[in-house]
PDB file of all heavy atoms in Angstrom:
ATOM      1  N   GLU A  65      74.501 118.129 130.285  1.00 87.00           N
ATOM      2  CA  GLU A  65      75.939 118.368 130.178  1.00 87.00           C
ATOM      3  C   GLU A  65      76.528 117.370 129.201  1.00 87.00           C
ATOM      4  O   GLU A  65      76.300 116.164 129.312  1.00 87.00           O
ATOM      5  CB  GLU A  65      76.596 118.203 131.549  1.00 87.00           C
ATOM      6  CG  GLU A  65      78.081 118.529 131.567  1.00 87.00           C
ATOM      7  CD  GLU A  65      78.344 120.014 131.692  1.00 87.00           C
ATOM      8  OE1 GLU A  65      77.660 120.672 132.490  1.00 87.00           O
ATOM      9  OE2 GLU A  65      79.234 120.513 130.977  1.00 87.00           O
ATOM     10  N   ASP A  66      77.283 117.852 128.204  1.00 87.00           N
ATOM     11  CA  ASP A  66      77.967 116.949 127.287  1.00 87.00           C
ATOM     12  C   ASP A  66      79.191 117.639 126.704  1.00 87.00           C
ATOM     13  O   ASP A  66      79.602 118.703 127.159  1.00 87.00           O
ATOM     14  CB  ASP A  66      77.028 116.425 126.194  1.00 87.00           C
ATOM     15  CG  ASP A  66      76.563 117.510 125.217  1.00 87.00           C
ATOM     16  OD1 ASP A  66      77.072 118.646 125.282  1.00 87.00           O
ATOM     17  OD2 ASP A  66      75.681 117.218 124.392  1.00 87.00           O
ATOM     18  N   GLU A  67      79.763 117.020 125.696  1.00 89.00           N
ATOM     19  CA  GLU A  67      81.021 117.495 125.137  1.00 89.00           C
ATOM     20  C   GLU A  67      80.913 118.872 124.483  1.00 89.00           C
ATOM     21  O   GLU A  67      81.913 119.565 124.326  1.00 89.00           O
ATOM     22  CB  GLU A  67      81.520 116.474 124.101  1.00 89.00           C
ATOM     23  CG  GLU A  67      82.972 116.625 123.705  1.00 89.00           C
ATOM     24  CD  GLU A  67      83.927 116.202 124.818  1.00 89.00           C
ATOM     25  OE1 GLU A  67      83.478 115.509 125.744  1.00 89.00           O
ATOM     26  OE2 GLU A  67      85.114 116.566 124.754  1.00 89.00           O
ATOM     27  N   PHE A  68      79.708 119.279 124.093  1.00 94.00           N
ATOM     28  CA  PHE A  68      79.550 120.551 123.389  1.00 94.00           C
ATOM     29  C   PHE A  68      79.058 121.688 124.279  1.00 94.00           C
ATOM     30  O   PHE A  68      78.901 122.811 123.819  1.00 94.00           O
ATOM     31  CB  PHE A  68      78.565 120.373 122.222  1.00 94.00           C
ATOM     32  CG  PHE A  68      79.058 119.420 121.173  1.00 94.00           C
ATOM     33  CD1 PHE A  68      78.371 118.249 120.903  1.00 94.00           C
ATOM     34  CD2 PHE A  68      80.215 119.683 120.458  1.00 94.00           C
ATOM     35  CE1 PHE A  68      78.819 117.364 119.936  1.00 94.00           C
ATOM     36  CE2 PHE A  68      80.685 118.800 119.488  1.00 94.00           C
ATOM     37  CZ  PHE A  68      79.981 117.646 119.225  1.00 94.00           C
ATOM     38  N   THR A  69      78.807 121.400 125.544  1.00 92.00           N
ATOM     39  CA  THR A  69      78.250 122.418 126.437  1.00 92.00           C
ATOM     40  C   THR A  69      79.114 123.672 126.489  1.00 92.00           C
ATOM     41  O   THR A  69      78.610 124.799 126.462  1.00 92.00           O
ATOM     42  CB  THR A  69      78.073 121.846 127.852  1.00 92.00           C
ATOM     43  OG1 THR A  69      77.188 120.720 127.799  1.00 92.00           O
ATOM     44  CG2 THR A  69      77.497 122.884 128.804  1.00 92.00           C
ATOM     45  N   SER A  70      80.428 123.506 126.537  1.00 92.00           N
ATOM     46  CA  SER A  70      81.331 124.642 126.697  1.00 92.00           C
ATOM     47  C   SER A  70      81.366 125.565 125.480  1.00 92.00           C
ATOM     48  O   SER A  70      81.878 126.685 125.561  1.00 92.00           O
ATOM     49  CB  SER A  70      82.752 124.152 126.986  1.00 92.00           C
ATOM     50  OG  SER A  70      83.247 123.366 125.905  1.00 92.00           O
ATOM     51  N   LEU A  71      80.815 125.125 124.351  1.00 93.00           N
ATOM     52  CA  LEU A  71      80.827 125.964 123.143  1.00 93.00           C
ATOM     53  C   LEU A  71      79.877 127.146 123.259  1.00 93.00           C
ATOM     54  O   LEU A  71      80.008 128.126 122.528  1.00 93.00           O
ATOM     55  CB  LEU A  71      80.451 125.125 121.916  1.00 93.00           C
ATOM     56  CG  LEU A  71      81.409 123.978 121.558  1.00 93.00           C
ATOM     57  CD1 LEU A  71      80.856 123.195 120.369  1.00 93.00           C
ATOM     58  CD2 LEU A  71      82.802 124.503 121.252  1.00 93.00           C
ATOM     59  N   ASP A  72      78.894 127.023 124.143  1.00 92.00           N
ATOM     60  CA  ASP A  72      77.928 128.097 124.363  1.00 92.00           C
ATOM     61  C   ASP A  72      77.230 128.511 123.061  1.00 92.00           C
ATOM     62  O   ASP A  72      77.006 129.694 122.807  1.00 92.00           O
ATOM     63  CB  ASP A  72      78.625 129.306 124.996  1.00 92.00           C
ATOM     64  CG  ASP A  72      77.634 130.318 125.581  1.00 92.00           C
ATOM     65  OD1 ASP A  72      76.546 129.879 126.007  1.00 92.00           O
ATOM     66  OD2 ASP A  72      77.942 131.525 125.592  1.00 92.00           O
ATOM     67  N   ASP A  73      76.897 127.526 122.238  1.00 95.00           N
ATOM     68  CA  ASP A  73      76.213 127.829 120.971  1.00 95.00           C
ATOM     69  C   ASP A  73      74.771 127.325 120.959  1.00 95.00           C
ATOM     70  O   ASP A  73      74.121 127.307 119.917  1.00 95.00           O
ATOM     71  CB  ASP A  73      76.981 127.246 119.780  1.00 95.00           C
ATOM     72  CG  ASP A  73      77.105 125.723 119.825  1.00 95.00           C
ATOM     73  OD1 ASP A  73      76.604 125.099 120.795  1.00 95.00           O
ATOM     74  OD2 ASP A  73      77.718 125.153 118.899  1.00 95.00           O
ATOM     75  N   ARG A  74      74.272 126.903 122.115  1.00 96.00           N
ATOM     76  CA  ARG A  74      72.895 126.404 122.199  1.00 96.00           C
ATOM     77  C   ARG A  74      71.978 127.557 122.574  1.00 96.00           C
ATOM     78  O   ARG A  74      71.592 127.722 123.733  1.00 96.00           O
ATOM     79  CB  ARG A  74      72.824 125.261 123.204  1.00 96.00           C
ATOM     80  CG  ARG A  74      73.495 124.005 122.680  1.00 96.00           C
ATOM     81  CD  ARG A  74      73.775 122.978 123.733  1.00 96.00           C
ATOM     82  NE  ARG A  74      74.142 121.705 123.098  1.00 96.00           N
ATOM     83  CZ  ARG A  74      74.750 120.714 123.716  1.00 96.00           C
ATOM     84  NH1 ARG A  74      75.059 120.821 124.996  1.00 96.00           N
ATOM     85  NH2 ARG A  74      75.059 119.599 123.069  1.00 96.00           N
ATOM     86  N   LYS A  75      71.635 128.344 121.580  1.00 96.00           N
ATOM     87  CA  LYS A  75      70.839 129.539 121.793  1.00 96.00           C
ATOM     88  C   LYS A  75      69.598 129.492 120.919  1.00 96.00           C
ATOM     89  O   LYS A  75      69.690 129.259 119.714  1.00 96.00           O
ATOM     90  CB  LYS A  75      71.666 130.783 121.458  1.00 96.00           C
ATOM     91  CG  LYS A  75      72.930 130.904 122.296  1.00 96.00           C
ATOM     92  CD  LYS A  75      73.749 132.123 121.899  1.00 96.00           C
ATOM     93  CE  LYS A  75      75.016 132.229 122.745  1.00 96.00           C
ATOM     94  NZ  LYS A  75      75.840 133.409 122.342  1.00 96.00           N
ATOM     95  N   ALA A  76      68.460 129.737 121.530  1.00 96.00           N
ATOM     96  CA  ALA A  76      67.200 129.744 120.786  1.00 96.00           C
ATOM     97  C   ALA A  76      66.928 131.146 120.231  1.00 96.00           C
ATOM     98  O   ALA A  76      65.779 131.583 120.185  1.00 96.00           O
ATOM     99  CB  ALA A  76      66.064 129.272 121.677  1.00 96.00           C
ATOM    100  N   ASP A  77      67.974 131.820 119.794  1.00 97.00           N
ATOM    101  CA  ASP A  77      67.860 133.177 119.258  1.00 97.00           C
ATOM    102  C   ASP A  77      67.468 133.146 117.785  1.00 97.00           C
ATOM    103  O   ASP A  77      67.533 132.100 117.129  1.00 97.00           O
ATOM    104  CB  ASP A  77      69.188 133.926 119.416  1.00 97.00           C
ATOM    105  CG  ASP A  77      69.608 134.095 120.861  1.00 97.00           C
ATOM    106  OD1 ASP A  77      68.741 133.937 121.745  1.00 97.00           O
ATOM    107  OD2 ASP A  77      70.794 134.376 121.104  1.00 97.00           O
ATOM    108  N   GLU A  78      67.112 134.315 117.271  1.00 96.00           N
ATOM    109  CA  GLU A  78      66.854 134.431 115.838  1.00 96.00           C
ATOM    110  C   GLU A  78      68.150 134.149 115.070  1.00 96.00           C
ATOM    111  O   GLU A  78      69.237 134.555 115.509  1.00 96.00           O
ATOM    112  CB  GLU A  78      66.363 135.837 115.496  1.00 96.00           C
ATOM    113  CG  GLU A  78      64.950 136.131 115.971  1.00 96.00           C
ATOM    114  CD  GLU A  78      63.915 135.309 115.218  1.00 96.00           C
ATOM    115  OE1 GLU A  78      64.057 135.153 113.984  1.00 96.00           O
ATOM    116  OE2 GLU A  78      62.970 134.816 115.864  1.00 96.00           O
ATOM    117  N   PRO A  79      68.066 133.451 113.930  1.00 97.00           N
ATOM    118  CA  PRO A  79      69.281 133.197 113.147  1.00 97.00           C
ATOM    119  C   PRO A  79      69.950 134.498 112.721  1.00 97.00           C
ATOM    120  O   PRO A  79      69.287 135.498 112.458  1.00 97.00           O
ATOM    121  CB  PRO A  79      68.756 132.423 111.930  1.00 97.00           C
ATOM    122  CG  PRO A  79      67.464 131.817 112.383  1.00 97.00           C
ATOM    123  CD  PRO A  79      66.872 132.811 113.337  1.00 97.00           C
ATOM    124  N   MET A  80      71.258 134.480 112.642  1.00 96.00           N
ATOM    125  CA  MET A  80      72.003 135.637 112.166  1.00 96.00           C
ATOM    126  C   MET A  80      71.811 135.791 110.662  1.00 96.00           C
ATOM    127  O   MET A  80      71.675 134.797 109.943  1.00 96.00           O
ATOM    128  CB  MET A  80      73.484 135.466 112.479  1.00 96.00           C
ATOM    129  CG  MET A  80      73.811 135.477 113.954  1.00 96.00           C
ATOM    130  SD  MET A  80      75.594 135.280 114.259  1.00 96.00           S
ATOM    131  CE  MET A  80      75.774 133.518 113.940  1.00 96.00           C
ATOM    132  N   PRO A  81      71.785 137.015 110.155  1.00 95.00           N
ATOM    133  CA  PRO A  81      71.643 137.207 108.700  1.00 95.00           C
ATOM    134  C   PRO A  81      72.874 136.708 107.969  1.00 95.00           C
ATOM    135  O   PRO A  81      73.982 136.673 108.534  1.00 95.00           O
ATOM    136  CB  PRO A  81      71.475 138.726 108.566  1.00 95.00           C
ATOM    137  CG  PRO A  81      72.127 139.292 109.783  1.00 95.00           C
ATOM    138  CD  PRO A  81      71.868 138.292 110.881  1.00 95.00           C
ATOM    139  N   LEU A  82      72.680 136.322 106.723  1.00 96.00           N
ATOM    140  CA  LEU A  82      73.815 135.889 105.912  1.00 96.00           C
ATOM    141  C   LEU A  82      74.783 137.051 105.718  1.00 96.00           C
ATOM    142  O   LEU A  82      74.366 138.205 105.601  1.00 96.00           O
ATOM    143  CB  LEU A  82      73.341 135.396 104.541  1.00 96.00           C
ATOM    144  CG  LEU A  82      72.438 134.160 104.513  1.00 96.00           C
ATOM    145  CD1 LEU A  82      71.983 133.892 103.081  1.00 96.00           C
ATOM    146  CD2 LEU A  82      73.154 132.938 105.078  1.00 96.00           C
ATOM    147  N   PRO A  83      76.077 136.780 105.667  1.00 94.00           N
ATOM    148  CA  PRO A  83      77.035 137.862 105.421  1.00 94.00           C
ATOM    149  C   PRO A  83      76.921 138.373 103.984  1.00 94.00           C
ATOM    150  O   PRO A  83      76.490 137.643 103.082  1.00 94.00           O
ATOM    151  CB  PRO A  83      78.381 137.190 105.666  1.00 94.00           C
ATOM    152  CG  PRO A  83      78.140 135.734 105.423  1.00 94.00           C
ATOM    153  CD  PRO A  83      76.734 135.473 105.866  1.00 94.00           C
ATOM    154  N   ASN A  84      77.294 139.618 103.775  1.00 92.00           N
ATOM    155  CA  ASN A  84      77.324 140.165 102.427  1.00 92.00           C
ATOM    156  C   ASN A  84      78.417 139.483 101.612  1.00 92.00           C
ATOM    157  O   ASN A  84      79.480 139.142 102.143  1.00 92.00           O
ATOM    158  CB  ASN A  84      77.577 141.671 102.457  1.00 92.00           C
ATOM    159  CG  ASN A  84      76.425 142.441 103.070  1.00 92.00           C
ATOM    160  OD1 ASN A  84      75.276 142.000 102.995  1.00 92.00           O
ATOM    161  ND2 ASN A  84      76.706 143.570 103.680  1.00 92.00           N
ATOM    162  N   LEU A  85      78.161 139.291 100.334  1.00 94.00           N
ATOM    163  CA  LEU A  85      79.119 138.628  99.452  1.00 94.00           C
ATOM    164  C   LEU A  85      79.622 139.574  98.376  1.00 94.00           C
ATOM    165  O   LEU A  85      78.898 140.485  97.956  1.00 94.00           O
ATOM    166  CB  LEU A  85      78.474 137.407  98.792  1.00 94.00           C
ATOM    167  CG  LEU A  85      77.925 136.306  99.711  1.00 94.00           C
ATOM    168  CD1 LEU A  85      77.339 135.175  98.870  1.00 94.00           C
ATOM    169  CD2 LEU A  85      79.018 135.773 100.629  1.00 94.00           C
ATOM    170  N   THR A  86      80.842 139.331  97.932  1.00 92.00           N
ATOM    171  CA  THR A  86      81.408 140.122  96.828  1.00 92.00           C
ATOM    172  C   THR A  86      81.562 139.283  95.570  1.00 92.00           C
ATOM    173  O   THR A  86      81.937 139.795  94.518  1.00 92.00           O
ATOM    174  CB  THR A  86      82.773 140.689  97.230  1.00 92.00           C
ATOM    175  OG1 THR A  86      83.652 139.610  97.577  1.00 92.00           O
ATOM    176  CG2 THR A  86      82.636 141.639  98.420  1.00 92.00           C
ATOM    177  N   LYS A  87      81.301 137.965  95.678  1.00 94.00           N
ATOM    178  CA  LYS A  87      81.383 137.093  94.509  1.00 94.00           C
ATOM    179  C   LYS A  87      80.416 135.930  94.682  1.00 94.00           C
ATOM    180  O   LYS A  87      79.947 135.656  95.783  1.00 94.00           O
ATOM    181  CB  LYS A  87      82.804 136.564  94.324  1.00 94.00           C
ATOM    182  CG  LYS A  87      83.289 135.667  95.468  1.00 94.00           C
ATOM    183  CD  LYS A  87      84.696 135.135  95.179  1.00 94.00           C
ATOM    184  CE  LYS A  87      85.176 134.197  96.302  1.00 94.00           C
ATOM    185  NZ  LYS A  87      86.525 133.665  96.015  1.00 94.00           N
ATOM    186  N   ARG A  88      80.125 135.282  93.564  1.00 96.00           N
ATOM    187  CA  ARG A  88      79.252 134.118  93.596  1.00 96.00           C
ATOM    188  C   ARG A  88      79.922 132.974  94.353  1.00 96.00           C
ATOM    189  O   ARG A  88      81.133 132.783  94.287  1.00 96.00           O
ATOM    190  CB  ARG A  88      78.954 133.671  92.160  1.00 96.00           C
ATOM    191  CG  ARG A  88      78.254 132.333  92.057  1.00 96.00           C
ATOM    192  CD  ARG A  88      78.574 131.658  90.734  1.00 96.00           C
ATOM    193  NE  ARG A  88      78.274 130.227  90.784  1.00 96.00           N
ATOM    194  CZ  ARG A  88      79.111 129.298  91.223  1.00 96.00           C
ATOM    195  NH1 ARG A  88      80.311 129.621  91.656  1.00 96.00           N
ATOM    196  NH2 ARG A  88      78.753 128.019  91.226  1.00 96.00           N
ATOM    197  N   LYS A  89      79.113 132.192  95.060  1.00 97.00           N
ATOM    198  CA  LYS A  89      79.603 131.008  95.757  1.00 97.00           C
ATOM    199  C   LYS A  89      78.628 129.853  95.553  1.00 97.00           C
ATOM    200  O   LYS A  89      77.423 130.064  95.492  1.00 97.00           O
ATOM    201  CB  LYS A  89      79.773 131.278  97.262  1.00 97.00           C
ATOM    202  CG  LYS A  89      80.901 132.253  97.611  1.00 97.00           C
ATOM    203  CD  LYS A  89      80.948 132.510  99.099  1.00 97.00           C
ATOM    204  CE  LYS A  89      82.064 133.491  99.450  1.00 97.00           C
ATOM    205  NZ  LYS A  89      83.375 132.840  99.484  1.00 97.00           N
ATOM    206  N   ARG A  90      79.167 128.669  95.433  1.00 97.00           N
ATOM    207  CA  ARG A  90      78.340 127.462  95.363  1.00 97.00           C
ATOM    208  C   ARG A  90      78.704 126.554  96.535  1.00 97.00           C
ATOM    209  O   ARG A  90      79.879 126.258  96.757  1.00 97.00           O
ATOM    210  CB  ARG A  90      78.527 126.723  94.037  1.00 97.00           C
ATOM    211  CG  ARG A  90      77.981 125.285  94.073  1.00 97.00           C
ATOM    212  CD  ARG A  90      77.798 124.673  92.707  1.00 97.00           C
ATOM    213  NE  ARG A  90      76.527 125.121  92.130  1.00 97.00           N
ATOM    214  CZ  ARG A  90      75.777 124.382  91.306  1.00 97.00           C
ATOM    215  NH1 ARG A  90      76.169 123.173  90.951  1.00 97.00           N
ATOM    216  NH2 ARG A  90      74.656 124.845  90.820  1.00 97.00           N
ATOM    217  N   ILE A  91      77.672 126.098  97.247  1.00 98.00           N
ATOM    218  CA  ILE A  91      77.861 125.207  98.390  1.00 98.00           C
ATOM    219  C   ILE A  91      77.091 123.917  98.134  1.00 98.00           C
ATOM    220  O   ILE A  91      75.898 123.952  97.822  1.00 98.00           O
ATOM    221  CB  ILE A  91      77.353 125.849  99.704  1.00 98.00           C
ATOM    222  CG1 ILE A  91      77.851 127.291  99.845  1.00 98.00           C
ATOM    223  CG2 ILE A  91      77.764 124.984 100.896  1.00 98.00           C
ATOM    224  CD1 ILE A  91      79.346 127.453  99.939  1.00 98.00           C
ATOM    225  N   ILE A  92      77.762 122.798  98.258  1.00 97.00           N
ATOM    226  CA  ILE A  92      77.125 121.486  98.141  1.00 97.00           C
ATOM    227  C   ILE A  92      76.992 120.894  99.544  1.00 97.00           C
ATOM    228  O   ILE A  92      77.993 120.694 100.241  1.00 97.00           O
ATOM    229  CB  ILE A  92      77.940 120.516  97.267  1.00 97.00           C
ATOM    230  CG1 ILE A  92      78.178 121.103  95.871  1.00 97.00           C
ATOM    231  CG2 ILE A  92      77.240 119.160  97.181  1.00 97.00           C
ATOM    232  CD1 ILE A  92      76.951 121.182  95.019  1.00 97.00           C
TER     233      ILE A  92
END
Side-chain angles (χ1 to χ4, degrees):
E65 184 82 42
D66 67 8
E67 196 72 17
F68 296 117
T69 300
S70 61
L71 297 177
D72 195 30
D73 61 359
R74 289 165 168 163
K75 301 178 180 179
D77 298 343
E78 288 292 319
M80 294 180 284
L82 296 176
N84 293 331
L85 301 181
T86 58
K87 64 178 182 179
R88 170 207 162 274
K89 292 177 180 281
R90 165 164 278 212
I91 313 297
I92 303 290

